[in-house]
Amino acid sequence: MLEQKEHKFDILGRDYDIKNIGKVTGEEKYSCDINIPGQLHAVILRSPYAHAEIKEVDYTEAEKMGAICIGPQDVPDVIYNERIVSIPAKTYRDRTVFPKDKVRHVGEAIAACAAETEGKAFEALKKIKVIWGEKWEPLVTLDDAMSPDAPAIYDNVFLGEERVKISNNLACDRNIDVGDIEEGFKEADIIADETFDVQRVYHMQLETKSAVCQPEADGGITLWTTTQGIHNVRILLGQIFSIPLSRINVKRITLGGSFGSSIQMNSVTPICVALALKARKPVKLVTTREEDMYDHSSYPLKTRLKVGVKKDGTLTAAHCQVWLEIGGHNIQAYPYLGCVAGWFASLYRWKNLRYEGKAYYSNKGPACARRGYGSPQVNFPVENMIDILAEKLGMDPIEFRRKNYVGKGEEFWGQGPTVRSLIRSCGVEEMLDRGAELIEWDKKSELKNKNGKIKRGIGVARGFHTSGTGGPKAGEVIDYSGATVKINEDGSVDVITALMDHGGGTWEAGAKVAAEVLKVPFEKVSIDNGVDTRTTVFDVNTHATRGVYCGCGAIKYVAEKVKEMLLNYAATLFEDRPENLVLALNEELGQGIIYPIDLPEKYKTIAEIADHARINSVGTFVYTSTLRQKNCPPCFITYFTEVEVNTETGEISVPRVVMMGDSGTIINPELWKGQILGAYALGIGLGKLEDIPYNKESGKLNCNGLITDFKVPITTDMPHTDNITVEHAHTYEPTGPFGAKGIGEAALSAVASSFGNAVYDAVGIRFHKLPITPEVMLKALQDKNRIGGKNKDAH
Amino acid sequence: MRKIPIKFTINGQQKEALVQSNELLINLLRDELYLTGTKYGCGIGECGACTVFVDDELVLACLTLAVTVDGKEITTIEGLAKGKELHPMQVSFLKNAAVQCGFCTPGMIMTAISLMKENPDPSEEEIREYMRGNICRCTGYTQIIKAIKEYAHNMKA
Ligand code: FES
Ligand code: FES
């Protein structure tokens, strides 16, 4: 069962506490911490209307106060999509830096001012006159947006270079058929047909979006900004402002969390650039929490799922229909619909499937990627459905999953229908077994308190995410990473990469991979900031859980080339052949050493060899290249959640949880756990707390930009530390760097699903809509009592 | 607007500043003293990222007027380490992987230190209760709670 061979590592799999020091001393710099002497501070004028025509933006009076101002008339006409991860032919473009004709959501930026202080900039902002034309009622729900007589949010947009007409606010759609579902449903003994709603949530990364831009004398710019991909920001700014990329330098800088919200170039970035170019002075722009809440969120997903199954538990067909309400811009609904199809298709062997996805514009802040990219949203319907069918079949939910999951040797759709690869490592069985043992699944019924006010239950759910977006053939999504690895003259190593670290430990993993290849102590490898688009080669973006598998994959590939150079040169010193040399880590010396095989006492340190190369004017051992991974292995997870439902207050707590993850080789053990633990909190937020509704009349956020009204999980929402178990499967991914694959997004995929299944186990109510707040629970309990306490559904 | 002169001690150093009557401590720290370790997460007292000590009392710098620190002693995250030697709470956070993106970390550490002053041997429930106002979106709090527990344990030993 266990795939993990005996792999021994010198550095991988150890925890070091030397990274992150700047984050505990306050010295770490984020974009918002950058200050440039003489900088101006910028603020943004945002639309109070959800859908209104802009006739004119007049900032004459504001400029009289000494501010530098920009409005729609000042920004280029370039229509772009802020996310350029998909190939251009599959990228919808519908926006300019400021809208030229009308605003499409409350909080949309329409003008900006920069002045010596933020206070002065605000004073100036108040003087801007906006003349509004026609206004339309806000479309804030999916039903509003789909309604045949809804006002049109767009008439047309671009898909690649082609202009496409938008009808009925339908932004895009995707339909996929595999096999013959009609035949499949005919074979079925049992058919279930259910509808689920997973809500829109706000990322609530702790750092709000910001940018600092310094215009350079040569007409170029230097930029610090919140982003998951410095190269894509540079390319976009080049396109928008017609500046050669060699004159745009985007600095790589630490992110205060992202969870997908900076895959696209953040909306403040080009505004800050436009101001700096006009002012010819550095400009700093930091958004408030309220502004940030209008700027991005996850996609809410409505799903109708119909599944057929035979009496023996074999699945025969599935029909999955999904509807998205995407907000005022189409950042990535098309690839998202593809990915939702992929997650759905790769969870279980449906045999025959049909998928129909539709995305509608609405007058809300634009939705974008959020950790899991649709996986938690479609996992909830599927994992509920699996429990529903198991109950109908009289089968144990674990058994039913074991019988039907997609595993080793089968196909995984890592990024929608066009990016698929074969599964080569899979810990699903091990995780189901071990998780069941840890949570004591067989004693589950003993937990139940039949009469008291507290009801207990346990739920299981499994999920996954892709590791990167590479397939055997390049698909709709661009995927490659680059790195430079360089041995310094003292034997230490620099790793130079555009890979981002959102806090999950990607940089630490990259340094470890280079250290492992070159047998250099971890402490001697730097992957630190101070690099930028000018010094790094292209990296598509740190998204799609590709940091370790793709980004560190590239680092490994490049480090191996450097190792070859090093050994070739060492061979000349030893007067031997490179293949007769051994490269090893000598912990006592704190150095990597090289020696002729069987003659360890004759070693030379890497430092000696590198310095020898310097003194003899041989050169530096350095290599730069890019690598495209040709697979997208799934990292699987399986979670077991125990809940306690207080039937008097409607509150649900989580006293215990067991979380199993399959990432192949684990590079950063504690940070790996941290990914799972952090995701669990996000999932509990999704399950019972978070929601971000808009007011139907005003089109404004109901929470008014307040975090406490939006409701994120806090310390008291998580189980006691002793009651949280996190373990990993013993797998090895043959295509990954040293057997590793990802974890970040996988970790969130099944949290809310295991929570929902546990709630059903506790109270016998199947919740089809999230979040399950105390009010929702109380109402459902009352309804259930009214029908005599039988199991029921809550929509 | 007229500016008001104030004097205070910050991380052990005497400082003077001219501030406006409505100026917030967070802006004085971040924009004028360039102590950017104190973070802005919400500006209205909801996240805890801007937590600092004023005369040994925990305050949210985004809700505190700069003029009120006149004559007082402020400690920010930058003031915890003694030269190269980290404060043991900082060490405990690093050892327990309680730091991911790090944006909540300064506020978390300040609050945790304050808890230890008030209650050197807290139960896990007491830790969770005390840290309620500090939001972390990355860690799920578990490793943070562990770091604080370990710190308390080490202090007892
Ligand atoms: S910034 Fe002060 S509490 Fe959030
Ligand atoms: S570590 Fe990122 S918010 Fe706490």
Side-chain angles (χ1 to χ4, degrees):
Chain A
M1 180 54 43
L2 309 187
E3 310 175 351
Q4 200 164 49
K5 306 179 195 100
E6 261 315 292
H7 290 280
K8 288 198 53 115
F9 301 113
D10 288 308
I11 288 142
L12 306 187
R14 288 204 213 169
D15 288 308
Y16 296 85
D17 48 24
I18 52 168
K19 291 275 162 190
N20 282 340
I21 288 184
K23 292 179 182 172
V24 299
T25 60
E27 289 158 292
E28 192 81 13
K29 291 276 178 284
Y30 302 79
S31 305
C32 57
D33 299 331
I34 298 298
N35 289 299
I36 303 175
Q39 72 192 5
L40 303 180
H41 294 265
V43 292
I44 295 178
L45 183 69
R46 292 178 180 275
S47 170
Y49 303 114
H51 194 185
E53 189 189 357
I54 308 170
K55 289 225 147 125
E56 200 192 324
V57 175
D58 177 1
Y59 51 67
T60 331
E61 294 301 314
E63 289 213 317
K64 280 192 193 145
M65 297 175 69
I68 303 289
C69 303
I70 52 168
Q73 60 273 37
D74 300 294
V75 296
D77 289 324
V78 178
I79 296 173
Y80 61 92
N81 182 319
E82 51 269 68
R83 173 187 174 277
I84 52 167
V85 174
S86 296
I87 57 172
K90 296 289 180 192
T91 299
Y92 285 85
R93 297 183 287 124
D94 67 15
R95 69 166 305 152
T96 45
V97 177
F98 290 130
K100 302 260 175 180
D101 51 351
K102 59 179 184 174
V103 293
R104 294 172 171 91
H105 68 90
V106 171
E108 179 149 25
I110 43 179
C113 291
E116 290 104 76
T117 64
E118 213 175 69
K120 285 188 183 161
F122 268 122
E123 288 307 313
L125 200 72
K126 286 188 205 151
K127 302 279 181 206
I128 298 183
K129 283 195 213 83
V130 183
I131 302 176
W132 298 96
E134 194 176 347
K135 298 189 187 80
W136 298 271
E137 57 174 294
L139 306 175
V140 301
T141 64
L142 179 66
D143 288 341
D144 290 350
M146 284 170 53
S147 142
D149 40 44
I153 298 177
Y154 285 90
D155 296 324
N156 53 61
V157 300
F158 284 92
L159 171 59
E161 291 308 311
E162 228 176 285
R163 205 178 260 278
V164 293
K165 199 173 148 13
I166 299 292
S167 311
N168 298 326
N169 292 321
L170 179 67
C172 56
D173 59 356
R174 275 188 108 140
N175 301 312
I176 297 162
D177 265 287
V178 177
D180 182 339
I181 57 160
E182 276 81 26
E183 279 307 308
F185 280 121
K186 271 187 215 156
E187 277 178 49
D189 297 312
I190 297 169
I191 293 175
D193 187 348
E194 307 278 346
T195 304
F196 298 89
D197 273 290
V198 178
Q199 77 278 35
R200 173 186 273 250
V201 295
Y202 165 56
H203 300 83
M204 183 55 219
Q205 76 297 343
L206 216 64
E207 177 193 24
T208 61
K209 304 304 173 196
S210 64
V212 178
C213 180
Q214 169 158 310
E216 303 293 350
D218 62 6
I221 53 167
T222 305
L223 181 75
W224 294 257
T225 188
T226 40
T227 180
Q228 291 176 229
I230 54 176
H231 284 277
N232 281 352
V233 167
R234 176 164 79 156
I235 292 169
L236 270 164
L237 292 174
Q239 289 170 358
I240 296 169
F241 295 101
S242 304
I243 304 173
L245 298 192
S246 56
R247 298 248 188 281
I248 301 175
N249 197 17
V250 184
K251 298 282 185 181
R252 197 191 73 182
I253 190 159
T254 304
L255 269 176
S258 185
F259 314 110
S261 61
S262 287
I263 290 178
Q264 69 276 17
M265 176 178 69
N266 292 135
S267 64
V268 294
T269 309
I271 297 174
C272 184
V273 171
L275 275 169
L277 288 174
K278 182 167 179 185
R280 300 178 141 269
K281 280 189 182 160
V283 172
K284 176 168 182 167
L285 206 181
V286 181
T287 53
T288 64
R289 181 58 63 189
E290 186 182 10
E291 287 181 285
D292 201 71
M293 281 191 188
Y294 280 107
D295 200 43
H296 50 86
S297 75
S298 70
Y299 289 102
L301 192 75
K302 179 186 180 75
T303 305
R304 179 173 174 192
L305 184 59
K306 182 177 162 189
V307 179
V309 64
K310 287 196 206 168
K311 277 201 196 97
D312 67 355
T314 315
L315 295 166
T316 63
H319 183 189
C320 180
Q321 290 168 279
V322 304
W323 295 265
L324 291 181
E325 166 266 296
I326 69 168
H329 293 289
N330 182 356
I331 300 180
Q332 42 195 323
Y334 185 78
Y336 185 95
L337 283 175
C339 283
V340 169
W343 315 138
F344 157 67
S346 306
L347 269 166
Y348 294 100
R349 270 181 250 121
W350 307 112
K351 205 160 144 207
N352 301 290
L353 73 87
R354 174 169 294 161
Y355 172 83
E356 293 163 292
K358 288 186 165 52
Y360 290 87
Y361 281 113
S362 66
N363 295 120
K364 287 153 92 167
C368 66
R370 193 219 185 204
R371 196 172 187 173
Y373 206 48
S375 176
Q377 287 74 8
V378 74
N379 186 288
F380 185 73
V382 171
E383 284 296 89
N384 269 280
M385 179 59 98
I386 291 296
D387 268 25
I388 292 169
L389 292 172
E391 188 179 354
K392 287 187 197 283
L393 291 162
M395 234 172 138
D396 179 77
I398 293 181
E399 274 323 299
F400 188 44
R401 283 176 171 81
R402 202 193 304 276
K403 195 173 163 64
N404 289 294
Y405 77 89
V406 174
K408 202 165 177 168
E410 295 175 282
E411 214 176 38
F412 179 72
W413 302 20
Q415 202 71 192
T418 68
V419 180
R420 307 186 191 186
S421 75
L422 287 181
I423 301 173
R424 290 174 170 85
S425 62
C426 171
V428 173
E429 295 264 350
E430 184 191 348
M431 294 192 294
L432 283 170
D433 291 343
R434 177 73 180 143
E437 181 188 326
L438 287 167
I439 201 87
E440 302 180 287
W441 182 259
D442 50 350
K443 297 202 192 112
K444 187 156 87 96
S445 49
E446 292 168 25
L447 264 184
K448 294 244 165 97
N449 176 348
K450 298 274 181 265
N451 306 313
K453 67 168 184 175
I454 304 288
K455 306 276 183 210
R456 290 201 180 81
I458 292 180
V460 62
R462 44 174 299 274
F464 50 52
H465 204 72
T466 185
S467 311
T469 67
K473 284 198 226 100
E476 288 169 6
V477 191
I478 299 164
D479 195 294
Y480 66 96
S481 283
T484 294
V485 175
K486 166 162 73 80
I487 299 183
N488 297 320
E489 294 65 32
D490 64 349
S492 66
V493 171
D494 287 327
V495 178
I496 300 159
T497 165
L499 206 62
M500 292 300 302
D501 190 329
H502 320 160
T506 316
W507 288 337
E508 180 161 335
K512 281 180 183 163
V513 164
E516 190 70 48
V517 172
L518 294 167
K519 299 298 177 197
V520 172
F522 178 67
E523 301 76 22
K524 289 210 158 88
V525 181
S526 155
I527 192 168
D528 300 344
N529 276 328
V531 302
D532 45 44
T533 46
R534 198 163 279 155
T535 50
T536 59
V537 285
F538 184 81
D539 181 292
V540 65
N541 214 299
T542 308
H543 75 134
T545 307
R546 65 185 296 285
V548 162
Y549 183 73
C550 302
C552 297
I555 292 171
K556 177 162 184 275
Y557 170 72
V558 170
E560 275 164 355
K561 298 282 184 192
V562 177
K563 175 177 161 185
E564 211 178 294
M565 296 167 90
L566 176 70
L567 284 174
N568 282 341
Y569 184 62
T572 66
L573 302 183
F574 285 110
E575 298 184 332
D576 205 334
R577 298 157 68 92
E579 55 272 31
N580 292 342
L581 300 180
V582 175
L583 172 66
L585 173 67
N586 185 314
E587 302 228 29
E588 259 162 61
L589 291 173
Q591 293 244 31
I593 56 169
I594 297 180
Y595 54 85
I597 202 157
D598 292 331
L599 294 172
E601 67 284 359
K602 287 236 180 297
Y603 75 84
K604 289 185 196 299
T605 65
I606 295 179
E608 282 167 349
I609 297 167
D611 207 42
H612 193 276
R614 175 182 71 93
I615 292 164
N616 291 282
S617 300
V618 172
T620 301
F621 305 119
V622 58
Y623 197 79
T624 301
S625 194
T626 53
L627 178 83
R628 180 175 101 75
Q629 289 284 29
K630 293 200 168 71
N631 289 280
C632 47
C635 30
F636 295 101
I637 56 108
T638 302
Y639 290 179
F640 296 79
T641 294
E642 179 180 326
V643 297
E644 267 182 19
V645 180
N646 183 324
T647 53
E648 279 171 13
T649 63
E651 261 161 73
I652 313 168
S653 63
V654 179
R656 198 161 61 110
V657 56
V658 170
M659 293 178 275
M660 305 291 302
D662 165 17
S663 291
T665 301
I666 309 290
I667 297 180
N668 304 323
E670 281 303 312
L671 284 169
W672 180 83
K673 275 190 195 159
Q675 285 294 291
I676 291 188
L677 294 163
Y680 197 78
L682 293 185
I684 288 303
L686 197 63
K688 66 170 194 174
L689 297 168
E690 300 177 27
D691 202 359
I692 188 150
Y694 282 63
N695 181 288
K696 234 173 152 47
E697 270 78 54
S698 66
K700 294 189 174 142
L701 282 171
N702 283 353
C703 70
N704 286 316
L706 297 177
I707 303 169
T708 35
D709 286 11
F710 165 64
K711 292 197 182 79
V712 294
I714 57 170
T715 44
T716 45
D717 290 313
M718 287 290 278
H720 193 283
T721 49
D722 295 341
N723 298 332
I724 304 179
T725 311
V726 180
E727 284 192 10
H728 66 85
H730 297 79
T731 53
Y732 188 89
E733 171 53 43
T735 67
F738 295 110
K741 42 187 185 176
I743 185 64
E745 292 175 88
L748 178 59
S749 57
V751 181
S753 318
S754 70
F755 175 80
N757 284 341
V759 167
Y760 180 79
D761 189 44
V763 296
I765 302 171
R766 178 70 58 194
F767 287 87
H768 290 246
K769 199 173 172 184
L770 297 177
I772 314 171
T773 60
E775 301 75 55
V776 169
M777 173 60 82
L778 284 180
K779 171 152 191 318
L781 287 167
Q782 280 162 12
D783 290 352
K784 186 179 179 217
N785 282 337
R786 224 173 291 139
I787 59 163
K790 284 198 285 295
N791 284 2
K792 77 170 299 288
D793 292 283
H795 286 274
Chain B
M1 205 183 288
R2 197 174 59 86
K3 294 216 174 183
I4 305 155
I6 57 169
K7 273 193 197 162
F8 51 91
T9 309
I10 175 116
N11 299 332
Q13 275 190 319
Q14 302 246 325
K15 278 258 156 66
E16 292 177 20
L18 280 173
V19 299
Q20 292 187 345
S21 57
N22 61 353
E23 185 169 337
L24 294 165
L25 179 58
I26 189 171
N27 296 336
L28 173 67
L29 294 173
R30 288 182 50 82
D31 301 342
E32 282 165 55
L33 304 172
Y34 299 113
L35 292 169
T36 53
T38 300
K39 297 298 185 214
Y40 166 92
C42 68
I44 42 175
E46 293 192 294
C47 75
C50 64
T51 309
V52 298
F53 282 107
V54 175
D55 280 354
D56 282 340
E57 204 180 301
L58 215 52
V59 307
L60 295 174
C62 73
L63 294 184
T64 306
L65 288 172
V67 285
T68 64
V69 302
D70 191 20
K72 300 204 170 159
E73 200 177 321
I74 311 165
T75 308
T76 68
I77 189 74
E78 289 92 342
L80 291 183
K82 299 270 169 288
K84 277 196 152 175
E85 198 188 318
L86 298 182
H87 186 284
M89 188 64 86
Q90 293 172 316
V91 175
S92 200
F93 266 61
L94 288 176
K95 280 215 172 346
N96 286 281
V99 181
Q100 287 191 28
C101 82
F103 212 78
C104 70
T105 309
M108 285 284 179
I109 291 179
M110 300 312 267
T111 312
I113 290 173
S114 166
L115 162 65
M116 288 303 136
K117 282 191 190 151
E118 287 177 25
N119 180 2
D121 190 16
S123 67
E124 178 160 332
E125 286 64 34
E126 286 170 329
I127 299 174
R128 287 185 186 274
E129 205 47 48
Y130 198 88
M131 305 294 295
R132 282 179 70 97
N134 289 73
I135 293 174
C136 174
R137 199 63 160 159
C138 300
T139 64
Y141 307 104
T142 304
Q143 284 152 316
I144 293 175
I145 307 291
K146 279 192 179 166
I148 301 171
K149 279 170 88 169
E150 189 179 290
Y151 172 96
H153 181 84
N154 290 344
M155 287 295 134
K156 253 203 307 193

